[in-house]
């Protein structure tokens, strides 16, 4: 790849301040960051008057699963039974979804794609970068989390089918039943290997649960209401697994409890209060969670709100008292930490992947536009138009 120097832009590092200066990219990595880098480069971009930011990261998205202009033929939920941990988001992800081009135009380079929330256990999420039309080349980690759901969605879907669960009682019971089976499965596998040196009774439904209980991946639990958030924490404690709260509409009501238990939240979307779980929705959630010390990222739940507009929805939180630097972190380094990839992405730092976006203005201004997107030092041009 050689060396590429990004010269004279307003460099927003996220973790080490903002200044007018240079960024050197070498072999797909950030090799130097400073106010004036003296080096002979293969390519030099004069970015005077431009803004240089790390690529935005979305820690919860259905992009490529719920595609634009497809209508009813979607692949986000495997409805039929409420426990489907064996399904994988990567097997449905369509890199030709036009929303990906628009997400790149909105400054996003990395997302966590997850199944929907119809099921109590909906399946395996994956962290991907928007860098190829071949899904396998996009994968950073898969599986990267087990999507689960509390509240109204599973109640509605399975209540209408006259199946368990139709209440919050049933949802929690199914979660416990699943993880008890996983515990027994782990013990059965251990004994078989000790006795015979091999285990020949694999179950794909339980294999991923084993990864959760062994701490390899977290549970990503959809929970809007405060009571559902607390139930998710309760079950995580019972089975000693890592937990990330998805949506957290009423997380501000239990922010101290989340901070006390070190539970991160991917908060959002913000918009219409379309169901009872959303009646107490407020942008102040972002401010309160941050002030209480809860590790928080912002999502728009694409396609509920399209990913290309996430910066504008994040900016609206400033109207309700959120700090601009904190909002920026919630689109960059915070989701990177929640996803466990902050050693690679989320800020402009030496040694990290050169996932860098060039803006013509401050990205929290409505007129700001993305001019160039680099992922691992390579300029990305969306493949769908070729």
């Amino acid at each position: 790849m050689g060396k590429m120097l990004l010269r004279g832009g307003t460099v927003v590092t996220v973790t080490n301040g903002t200044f007018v200066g240079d960024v050197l990219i070498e072999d797909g990595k950030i090799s130097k960051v400073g106010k004036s880098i003296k080096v002979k480069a293969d390519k030099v971009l004069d970015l005077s008057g431009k803004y240089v930011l790390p690529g935005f990261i979305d820690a919860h998205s259905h992009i490529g699963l719920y595609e634009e202009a497809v209508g009813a033929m979607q692949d986000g939920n495997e409805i039929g039974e409420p426990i489907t941990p064996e399904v994988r988001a990567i097997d449905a992800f369509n890199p030709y979804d036009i929303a990906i081009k628009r997400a790149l135009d909105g400054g996003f380079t990395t997302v966590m794609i997850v199944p929907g929330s119809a099921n109590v256990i909906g399946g395996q999420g994956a962290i991907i970068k928007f860098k190829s039309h071949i899904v396998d080349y996009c994968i950073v980690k898969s599986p990267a989390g087990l999507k689960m759901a509390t509240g109204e969605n599973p109640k509605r879907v399975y209540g209408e089918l006259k199946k368990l669960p139709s209440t919050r009682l049933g949802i929690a019971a199914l979660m416990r039943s699943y993880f008890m089976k996983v515990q027994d499965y782990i013990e059965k596998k251990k004994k078989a290997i000790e006795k015979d040196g091999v285990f020949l009774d694999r179950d794909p439904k339980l294999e991923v649960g084993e990864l959760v209980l062994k701490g390899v991946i977290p549970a990503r639990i959809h929970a809007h209401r405060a009571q559902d958030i607390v139930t998710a924490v309760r079950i995580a404690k019972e089975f000693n697994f890592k937990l990330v709260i998805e949506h957290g509409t009423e997380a501000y009501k239990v922010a101290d409890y989340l901070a006390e238990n070190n539970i991160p939240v991917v908060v959002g979307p913000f918009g219409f209060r379309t169901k009872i779980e959303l009646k107490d929705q407020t942008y102040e959630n972002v401010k309160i969670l941050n002030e209480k010390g809860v590790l928080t990222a912002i999502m728009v739940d694409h396609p509920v709100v399209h990913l290309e507009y996430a910066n504008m929805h994040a900016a609206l939180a400033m109207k309700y008292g959120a700090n601009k630097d904190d909002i920026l972190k919630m689109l960059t380094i915070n989701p990177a930490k929640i996803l466990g990839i902050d050693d690679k992405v989320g800020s402009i730092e030496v040694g990290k992947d050169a996932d860098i976006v060039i803006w013509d203005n401050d990205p929290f201004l409505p007129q700001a536009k993305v001019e160039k997107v680099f992922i691992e030092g390579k300029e990305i041009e969306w493949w769908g138009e070729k």
Side-chain angles (χ1 to χ4, degrees):
M1 274 189 188
K3 296 180 181 180
M4 178 168 62
L5 183 64
L6 308 181
R7 175 173 286 164
T10 299
V11 181
V12 183
T13 68
V14 177
T15 50
N16 292 302
T18 298
F19 55 87
V20 175
D22 305 339
V23 178
L24 183 65
I25 297 171
E26 197 168 354
D27 297 325
K29 299 285 186 180
I30 299 168
S31 61
K32 287 185 180 180
V33 182
K35 292 187 177 180
S36 181
I37 297 174
K38 306 296 184 185
V39 67
K40 186 175 181 180
D42 301 287
K43 185 176 183 179
V44 178
L45 295 183
D46 182 0
L47 299 179
S48 301
K50 311 296 183 182
Y51 283 70
V52 182
L53 278 87
F56 288 158
I57 301 167
D58 181 15
H60 174 116
S61 180
H62 308 295
I63 198 166
L65 304 178
Y66 287 96
E67 301 171 43
E68 287 193 24
V70 172
M73 301 298 291
Q74 301 286 8
D75 291 312
N77 287 301
E78 183 54 53
I79 298 172
E81 58 177 291
I83 306 294
T84 56
E86 69 272 33
V87 303
R88 300 183 180 187
I90 56 169
D91 295 326
F93 177 74
N94 182 7
Y96 288 94
D97 181 0
I98 186 65
I100 293 170
K101 177 186 185 300
R102 293 167 182 160
L104 287 163
D105 289 342
F108 282 86
T109 53
T110 303
V111 298
M112 168 91 165
I113 52 170
V114 291
S117 52
N119 291 354
V120 175
I121 300 179
Q124 303 166 42
I127 303 167
I128 64 169
K129 292 187 180 186
F130 296 138
K131 64 178 183 176
S132 175
H133 66 293
I134 303 298
V135 177
D136 302 69
Y137 297 161
C138 299
I139 296 169
V140 177
K141 184 177 182 181
S142 178
L146 181 59
K147 177 68 185 302
M148 299 166 61
T150 63
E152 299 302 320
N153 285 12
K155 278 178 57 181
R156 182 189 70 255
V157 170
Y158 291 94
E160 289 175 356
L161 296 173
K162 306 300 182 186
K163 295 170 71 172
L164 184 73
S166 61
T167 64
R168 284 177 167 82
L169 304 170
I171 291 169
L174 283 179
M175 286 184 181
R176 289 190 176 94
S177 176
Y178 173 71
F179 284 112
M180 286 179 183
K181 289 176 182 176
V182 173
Q183 287 175 329
D184 292 347
Y185 181 76
I186 292 170
E187 189 63 25
K188 180 181 177 182
K189 181 186 286 188
K190 178 183 175 185
K191 287 182 177 179
I193 291 172
E194 287 175 351
K195 180 183 177 185
D196 304 319
V198 65
F199 180 65
L200 299 175
D201 193 20
R202 289 181 298 166
D203 185 333
K205 282 184 176 290
L206 302 176
E207 284 284 320
V208 66
E210 182 177 355
L211 296 179
V212 174
L213 293 192
K214 288 186 174 180
V216 177
I217 61 173
R220 305 288 301 262
I221 301 186
H222 164 118
H224 284 284
R225 288 174 67 162
Q227 70 183 101
D228 293 328
I229 294 168
V230 173
T231 294
V233 175
R234 182 184 311 119
I235 293 172
K237 285 183 172 183
E238 288 175 18
F239 292 93
N240 192 32
F241 59 71
K242 297 176 186 175
L243 169 65
V244 178
I245 294 294
E246 310 292 305
H247 303 298
T249 298
E250 294 185 1
Y252 64 94
K253 296 182 179 181
V254 291
D256 287 329
Y257 186 66
L258 289 167
E260 173 189 331
N261 287 282
N262 198 30
I263 307 294
V265 179
V266 184
V267 67
F270 303 97
F272 297 114
R273 295 173 177 87
T274 53
K275 52 187 175 180
I276 192 169
E277 293 175 307
L278 306 181
K279 69 181 179 65
D280 291 342
Q281 180 187 100
T282 172
Y283 271 102
E284 290 180 357
N285 198 6
V286 173
K287 174 178 179 285
I288 293 167
L289 288 172
N290 189 71
E291 289 178 347
K292 294 291 187 177
V294 178
L295 179 60
T296 306
I298 289 176
M299 63 135 127
V300 292
D301 202 22
H302 181 100
V304 175
V305 173
H306 287 193
L307 204 51
E308 63 190 295
Y309 303 125
N311 59 325
M312 290 295 93
H313 277 260
L316 278 171
M318 288 187 271
K319 179 178 178 180
Y320 297 86
N323 178 276
K324 182 179 178 180
D325 288 340
D326 292 336
I327 295 295
L328 178 62
K329 289 177 181 178
M330 291 179 194
L331 290 171
T332 53
I333 195 64
N334 287 9
K337 288 178 179 178
I338 290 170
L339 297 177
I341 55 173
D342 54 302
D343 60 327
K344 297 180 177 68
V345 293
S347 61
I348 296 179
E349 294 184 70
V350 172
K352 289 194 174 184
D353 294 349
D355 296 359
I356 291 175
V357 177
I358 311 303
W359 295 76
D360 69 355
N361 211 325
D362 182 326
F364 291 140
L365 294 176
Q367 67 268 33
K369 293 181 181 179
V370 167
E371 295 193 346
K372 291 181 183 293
V373 177
F374 298 94
I375 297 180
E376 295 168 11
K378 180 181 178 181
E379 186 171 357
I380 301 299
E381 294 182 5
W382 192 59
W383 42 86
E385 296 173 337
K386 295 180 180 179

